[in-house]
Amino acid sequence: MPIHEKSLIRPENLVTHEHLEIDGVDVSGHWSTFITSRAITDYNEQMQEEIAALPGGEFIHRCWQCGSCTNACTINAVNPDFNPRYWIYLIRMGFESELLRDKDIIWQCVSCNKCTYACPRDVSPEGVMKATAHWLELKGYTEKKPSTAFDEVFSEQVFATGKIEEGRVLRQFFARTGQSLSQGWLVELIRSLASRLPVGLLVKLGLASVIRPRTRGWRGASLAIDEYVRECEAAARKALRLDVQGAE
């Protein structure tokens, strides 16, 4: 799996000799720019299997490094350091320490799915990015991101009631991420809705926020979903060799 992009060479691994003469020939300056040799000894031989065990990462083994995902990537267009192809390469090679150097930007995937549509091997790079971000959280390398908190709040409400009440989702998300409900944009949004929506609809929305309506006959589905989610989480933690508290 060759990687040829110049942008993938870490700047700290480049050495330029301002004054260098080889066999009587002056090769100073850019002509004498070299990539320093290095030895990687901390392979994670299970890394690909661990990512593949998480939802979205199942088909990472299909990647043949064509680069279609990175070329199509919305985030790469504004941040060249966001490179799905490179990270898939690192995962497949087991270069864990190299991957961790980019742990603070991997979560920036916006799930536009352009990479998935462009991929000729059905790798689902968007899914791999999500699985990798989840892997970083489970391993304790990164804090839980606001997007993860939102996914949890949204899912918990659907699992519990079979319905979504936007106001309650927003309140719980803000509470879980430590954000204030008195933000200017939110106050303005509520004021605008209150002035434009019919009174009957506003009363209905307010009641839904308080009484938490549930889909009729939902209890059985809720229990089944809860059991399935617990099984998936247990399987993921087992694949990553994590105990119930999250430590290895």
Side-chain angles (χ1 to χ4, degrees):
M1 294 183 288
I3 295 289
H4 298 298
E5 291 102 324
K6 183 180 178 181
S7 62
L8 298 182
I9 301 172
R10 305 281 184 183
E12 60 270 28
N13 293 332
L14 291 175
V15 176
T16 299
H17 298 281
E18 296 298 333
H19 302 288
L20 180 65
E21 188 173 302
I22 299 178
D23 295 334
V25 178
D26 185 357
V27 292
S28 303
H30 289 297
W31 290 102
S32 60
T33 299
F34 298 94
I35 303 173
T36 56
S37 60
R38 60 197 178 114
I40 298 176
T41 58
D42 55 343
Y43 293 98
N44 179 351
E45 296 179 355
Q46 284 77 43
M47 195 172 178
Q48 178 176 311
E49 294 180 11
E50 293 176 355
I51 300 292
L54 300 176
E58 296 90 343
F59 305 117
I60 188 174
H61 64 283
R62 295 177 178 173
C63 178
W64 57 11
Q65 290 289 295
C66 69
S68 296
C69 53
T70 298
N71 287 335
C73 178
T74 298
I75 302 301
N76 179 263
V78 295
N79 179 10
D81 291 334
F82 190 93
N83 195 325
R85 175 179 110 152
Y86 178 52
W87 294 328
I88 291 175
Y89 165 78
L90 295 180
I91 293 167
R92 298 199 62 191
M93 296 297 290
F95 292 163
E96 182 168 334
S97 59
E98 287 287 300
L99 182 73
L100 293 182
R101 299 173 72 167
D102 293 330
K103 63 185 174 71
D104 293 327
I105 61 174
I106 291 175
W107 65 273
Q108 292 178 354
C109 173
V110 295
S111 297
C112 67
N113 273 308
K114 288 183 177 178
C115 56
T116 297
Y117 293 128
C119 179
R121 296 277 292 169
D122 293 331
V123 174
S124 184
E126 184 270 344
V128 174
M129 290 302 97
K130 286 290 185 294
T132 304
H134 192 195
W135 179 86
L136 289 167
E137 289 179 2
L138 287 172
K139 286 279 191 174
Y141 293 132
T142 59
E143 298 291 331
K144 186 177 293 186
K145 298 294 184 296
S147 59
T148 302
F150 183 85
D151 289 343
E152 289 179 348
V153 168
F154 188 94
S155 301
E156 288 169 5
Q157 188 173 136
V158 173
F159 297 166
T161 66
K163 293 179 178 291
I164 280 295
E165 200 286 306
E166 293 88 347
R168 194 163 65 250
V169 170
L170 201 58
R171 290 199 310 275
Q172 291 178 342
F173 168 68
F174 278 15
R176 197 164 295 187
T177 54
Q179 300 184 64
S180 170
L181 276 171
S182 60
Q183 299 184 46
W185 69 269
L186 182 58
V187 173
E188 183 59 32
L189 175 64
I190 294 174
R191 183 182 294 123
S192 177
L193 290 175
S195 64
R196 300 183 182 199
L197 294 179
V199 175
L201 180 56
L202 289 173
V203 172
K204 187 176 180 180
L205 290 174
L207 289 175
S209 177
V210 175
I211 62 176
R212 302 185 65 190
R214 178 180 298 186
T215 298
R216 182 175 299 176
W218 183 252
R219 179 169 173 74
S222 177
L223 292 174
I225 292 173
D226 184 66
E227 181 180 357
Y228 176 73
V229 170
R230 290 177 183 276
E231 289 177 355
C232 290
E233 290 177 347
R237 301 190 73 82
K238 181 179 180 181
L240 271 60
R241 293 162 291 149
L242 300 172
D243 62 21
V244 292
Q245 279 75 41
E248 283 191 291

